[in-house]
Amino acid sequence: MINKFSEDDYYFMQVALALGARGQGLTSPNPSVGCVIVGQNSHIIGRGFTGSGGRPHAEINALEQAKSLGYDTAGAAAYVTLEPCSHEGKTPPCADALVNAGIRRVIIASDDPDKRVNGKGVLMLEKAGIKVEKGLCKEEADFQHGAFFFKCDSALPLVTLKFATTLDGKIAYNDDKNKWITCELSRKIGHQFRAKNDAIMVGIGTVLKDDPDLRCRIKGLESRSPVRIILDTHLRVPLNSKLVKTAKDVPLWIITVCADKKKHEKFIAFGAKIIIVPEDKEGRVDLKKAMRIINQRGINSILSEGGAAVNTGLIKENLMSRIIWFKSPDRGGKGALPALEGITIEEMCRKIDLKLIKSGAAGRDKWYYYSK
């Protein structure tokens, strides 16, 4: 039976989704959930989203806000972007909290695929006599919780490839390596994506060529800078690089096959974390095993800013799930560096059958957001 939702139901779930989006990049290994408590007068009396590090949960924050404002939650409705948890972890079950608060109706966007919860949260609510309705704005919620769902299904992080290219698919000009490819507005949107992911990743080639610091440089979002990851087979990253020198300010993980402990100590002294992974058949970092280890350490989502070798490797190993592509109207010309090795982005999108989710303009540039 398909639930019939009202315009008010849709509005309140949209508010919950907007709340959940605020916590993206801060809540792993938990998902960033949004929750809205609506009183019997159809006014919002409590709002909440998952706290940093995954706690408190959204439902608890929303109920606490309602209580702090002096509202009675008895008979109220709760709009939640993900099924309330039913297990006793580091916090009590949210389903119990909703029952104890006297909530009469719970509207859920997406089921929780976590085996500890899946369906059990709904069952707890229904046993307590609460009316439960599911599926409102499910597609939006599924996309928003995509990294958490992907982790539950594959034990791997959801990887988004970020490209900033010329019209002909180049990521660097041959004559000027420091010239920006895209406009300032595109770069700001790119930094917003940094803030919404748990980690940002590059290869050692990008570090040696550009000496990036990979922090979020949008005013007010500096604290949202994600974990920075370097794929560096032989541990060649310079000790005087921006990434190493700022490792105590923003976490830096170096993924390597190098087991030289004396070499490790030099980086550890700067605050970097060295993670040894097996090598692949070509003697480089085994990407799939690296991704699994990274996920085990609490990273659900990664924004890969390349360069070409890393992003091509992620595609070949079927480790890429999404793409954000900023395209300048300029041409790179002869000798400019391509975004991928041996294939264009357009060919790759067709081959993998990626779906265009969103697109738009950023100043003089265009941007495209694809997903599997």
Side-chain angles (χ1 to χ4, degrees), residues 122-135:
V122 169
L123 189 61
M124 286 178 68
L125 296 171
E126 290 179 334
K127 281 186 175 180
I130 294 174
K131 182 180 181 181
V132 178
E133 298 170 81
K134 300 192 301 178

Side-chain angles (χ1 to χ4, degrees), residues 39 58 163 212 273 309:
F163 297 105
K273 181 179 292 186

Side-chain angles (χ1 to χ4, degrees), residues 95-356:
D96 274 350
L98 293 171
V99 171
N100 294 335
I103 299 297
R104 63 173 175 80
R105 180 179 177 229
V106 176
I107 302 89
I108 299 168
S110 295
D111 295 317
D112 190 334
D114 188 322
K115 294 178 181 178
R116 297 170 298 176
V117 179
N118 197 338
K120 299 183 181 73
V122 169
L123 189 61
M124 286 178 68
L125 296 171
E126 290 179 334
K127 281 186 175 180
I130 294 174
K131 182 180 181 181
V132 178
E133 298 170 81
K134 300 192 301 178
L136 177 60
C137 302
K138 183 180 187 304
E139 187 174 349
E140 293 171 73
D142 287 352
F143 190 82
Q144 191 172 101
H145 298 310
F148 177 70
F149 289 0
F150 193 75
K151 183 274 293 279
C152 291
D153 183 57
S154 67
L156 294 169
L158 186 147
V159 177
T160 299
L161 305 189
K162 182 219 165 187
F163 297 105
T165 78
T166 57
L167 189 62
D168 50 349
K170 310 298 182 181
I171 57 173
Y173 295 105
N174 185 43
D175 58 344
D176 185 356
K177 69 177 182 178
N178 294 316
K179 184 178 178 181
W180 292 110
I181 293 287
T182 52
C183 71
E184 183 179 358
L185 183 54
S186 289
R187 297 196 295 274
K188 283 184 177 179
I189 296 172
H191 280 260
Q192 289 177 352
F193 272 87
R194 286 184 179 182
K196 290 182 178 181
N197 279 271
D198 301 330
I200 179 170
M201 184 172 71
V202 296
I204 183 59
T206 296
V207 176
L208 296 175
K209 179 177 177 292
D210 299 334
D211 190 23
D213 71 17
L214 302 181
R215 289 182 284 189
C216 181
R217 294 192 296 274
I218 296 177
K219 190 173 182 179
L221 292 182
E222 296 90 347
S223 63
R224 297 286 296 264
S225 295
V227 172
R228 300 168 301 168
I229 298 175
I230 307 172
L231 298 176
D232 184 6
T233 300
H234 302 297
L235 206 52
R236 294 187 292 145
V237 58
L239 289 172
N240 65 349
S241 65
K242 292 176 184 175
L243 286 165
V244 174
K245 289 193 295 185
T246 59
K248 289 182 180 178
D249 301 319
V250 179
L252 175 65
W253 297 3
I254 304 174
I255 312 298
T256 184
V257 302
C258 174
D260 187 337
K261 290 187 178 180
K262 287 186 177 180
K263 209 170 183 180
H264 293 179
E265 289 171 359
K266 296 177 182 178
F267 293 96
I268 293 170
F270 279 91
K273 181 179 292 186
I274 303 296
I275 300 175
I276 303 174
V277 300
E279 61 183 40
D280 62 16
K281 293 178 182 178
E282 297 176 358
R284 296 181 295 195
V285 166
D286 187 305
L287 287 175
K288 194 155 193 174
K289 290 177 181 176
M291 293 302 103
R292 199 169 298 281
I293 291 169
I294 288 169
N295 185 245
Q296 289 170 353
R297 291 174 179 250
I299 299 295
N300 286 353
S301 62
I302 296 176
L303 181 68
S304 175
E305 295 198 5
V310 168
N311 284 343
T312 303
L314 290 167
I315 293 166
K316 286 181 176 178
E317 293 295 327
N318 195 29
L319 293 169
M320 175 275 295
S321 296
R322 296 177 183 173
I323 287 175
I324 177 68
W325 180 14
F326 299 93
K327 187 190 291 187
S328 161
D330 300 325
R331 290 188 173 274
K334 187 177 180 180
L337 186 66
L340 295 171
E341 296 178 344
I343 190 172
T344 66
I345 302 176
E346 290 94 338
E347 289 170 341
M348 182 265 297
C349 289
R350 289 194 297 269
K351 187 175 181 180
I352 301 177
D353 194 26
L354 292 171
K355 297 177 183 177
L356 181 63

